[in-house]
Amino acid sequence: MSDLVIRPATPDDIPAIVAMLADDPLGARRESPDDLTPYHRALDRLVEDPNQHLVVAVRDGDRPVGTLQLTVIPGLSRRGATRSVIEAVRVHADERGSGLGTQLIEWAIEQSRCQGCQLIQLTSDATRTDAHRFYERLGFTGSHIGFKLRL
Amino acid sequence: MSDLVIRPATPDDIPAIVAMLADDPLGARRESPDDLTPYHRALDRLVEDPNQHLVVAVRDGDRPVGTLQLTVIPGLSRRGATRSVIEAVRVHADERGSGLGTQLIEWAIEQSRCQGCQLIQLTSDATRTDAHRFYERLGFTGSHIGFKLRL
């Protein structure tokens, strides 16, 4: 289990990433593993944008076992602070409890520091109580309410 | 009060924007209105990035009375959905209760639709209970916990 590599996602990773997004109580209703076209289109946009970092964690050569997306957001508030936002964290079912989630978030924290971010943030559905304990153990504070509106 | 215009922020707007960021119970401790250098540097980064929309609402010719930052984030989850994130919403003290906050958020919703976003999201400090009611009135659901970690 020591050969983990975290690297930028490529089009070849899309089936594995979408399978991980869909293998989730909330994600199951929202994804379409049988039609990958919209995911390829989205990856094209992500790859063009230097502030987007969609990564996969791979083991055993090149088998994807985890993913997350990190977005770097410059801004004026907090004395012109740059922040980063973590979205779409997923760990393959076979790897849960292995510490891979921690490695992914630690990668995101380190990458955010390298990008000059002063703050890292994410939202987690209020029903994911295990995830909340996980982020608190990693030093995050659940100080905010996350509001969403579907368009 | 009918001459409101919402337009991209320019370097000339920085003193007014920073004054609004600082005139806030939480913002007061975090901003440096006496040293605008980091804010100018941040605006340079925002202007370069087509996914960033820092705007000011102006009245009476060109007097800034409100501001927000909208960030467009492509992504793989939710069938390759693009989302937008609202940050740093501020309304000048003289304008509170005038409906300007609503106009700013409605602008962000409309702009997000134009940019092809399927979801718009924001976080609000858990202590800002008036803001929570405001976002709920505008159709947002406070379904998530917002976690932050200072780097």
Side-chain angles (χ1 to χ4, degrees):
Chain A
M1 302 286 270
S2 62
D3 62 340
L4 189 85
V5 174
I6 296 175
R7 61 156 175 79
T10 71
D12 289 346
D13 300 316
I14 285 184
I17 295 173
V18 175
M20 286 189 277
L21 292 172
D23 182 23
D24 174 272
L26 299 174
R29 292 170 287 159
R30 302 195 295 226
E31 308 301 338
S32 66
D34 297 335
D35 175 15
L36 297 177
T37 315
Y39 301 97
H40 280 280
R41 215 178 291 137
L43 182 62
D44 290 344
R45 281 193 68 180
L46 291 170
V47 167
E48 277 170 13
D49 183 341
N51 286 327
Q52 299 293 347
H53 305 272
L54 177 69
V55 295
V56 284
V58 296
R59 272 201 213 282
D60 303 333
D62 208 41
R63 184 173 54 93
V65 291
T67 181
L68 66 73
Q69 178 179 344
L70 187 73
T71 302
V72 176
I73 304 184
L76 256 60
S77 62
R78 298 173 185 246
R79 306 191 71 239
T82 297
R83 66 185 71 200
S84 64
V85 175
I86 299 174
E87 291 279 356
V89 183
R90 292 292 186 283
V91 169
H92 192 283
D94 296 348
E95 293 266 342
R96 290 183 195 146
S98 71
L100 174 56
T102 300
Q103 285 173 282
L104 277 164
I105 301 299
E106 286 176 346
W107 176 90
I109 292 170
E110 183 55 30
Q111 179 68 17
S112 298
R113 284 208 179 94
C114 291
Q115 298 277 334
C117 299
Q118 283 102 60
L119 187 70
I120 181 165
Q121 63 190 48
L122 60 94
T123 67
S124 179
D125 193 284
T127 63
R128 297 193 199 263
T129 48
D130 287 356
H132 304 166
R133 283 191 291 270
F134 168 75
Y135 290 119
E136 282 162 1
R137 277 198 305 272
L138 286 164
F140 287 80
T141 305
S143 53
H144 284 61
I145 314 281
F147 288 88
K148 296 197 195 256
L149 172 65
R150 274 196 230 177
L151 300 178
Chain B
M1 302 284 270
S2 61
D3 62 340
L4 188 85
V5 173
I6 296 176
R7 60 157 177 78
T10 71
D12 288 347
D13 300 315
I14 284 183
I17 295 173
V18 175
M20 286 189 278
L21 292 172
D23 182 22
D24 173 271
L26 298 173
R29 290 170 288 158
R30 302 195 294 227
E31 308 301 337
S32 66
D34 297 336
D35 174 16
L36 296 178
T37 316
Y39 301 96
H40 280 281
R41 215 178 292 138
L43 182 62
D44 289 344
R45 281 194 69 180
L46 291 170
V47 167
E48 275 170 17
D49 182 343
N51 286 328
Q52 299 293 346
H53 306 271
L54 177 70
V55 294
V56 284
V58 297
R59 272 199 213 283
D60 304 333
D62 209 42
R63 184 172 54 91
V65 290
T67 181
L68 68 72
Q69 179 179 344
L70 187 72
T71 302
V72 176
I73 304 185
L76 255 60
S77 62
R78 299 173 184 244
R79 305 190 71 240
T82 298
R83 65 185 73 202
S84 64
V85 175
I86 300 174
E87 290 280 354
V89 182
R90 292 293 187 281
V91 168
H92 192 282
D94 296 347
E95 294 266 342
R96 290 184 195 147
S98 72
L100 175 57
T102 300
Q103 286 172 282
L104 277 165
I105 300 301
E106 285 175 346
W107 175 90
I109 292 170
E110 182 55 29
Q111 178 69 19
S112 298
R113 283 208 180 94
C114 291
Q115 299 276 334
C117 299
Q118 284 101 60
L119 187 69
I120 181 165
Q121 64 191 47
L122 60 93
T123 66
S124 178
D125 193 285
T127 62
R128 298 194 199 264
T129 48
D130 287 355
H132 304 167
R133 282 191 292 270
F134 167 76
Y135 290 119
E136 282 162 1
R137 278 200 304 273
L138 286 163
F140 287 80
T141 306
S143 54
H144 284 60
I145 314 282
F147 289 88
K148 296 195 195 257
L149 172 65
R150 275 194 230 179
L151 300 178

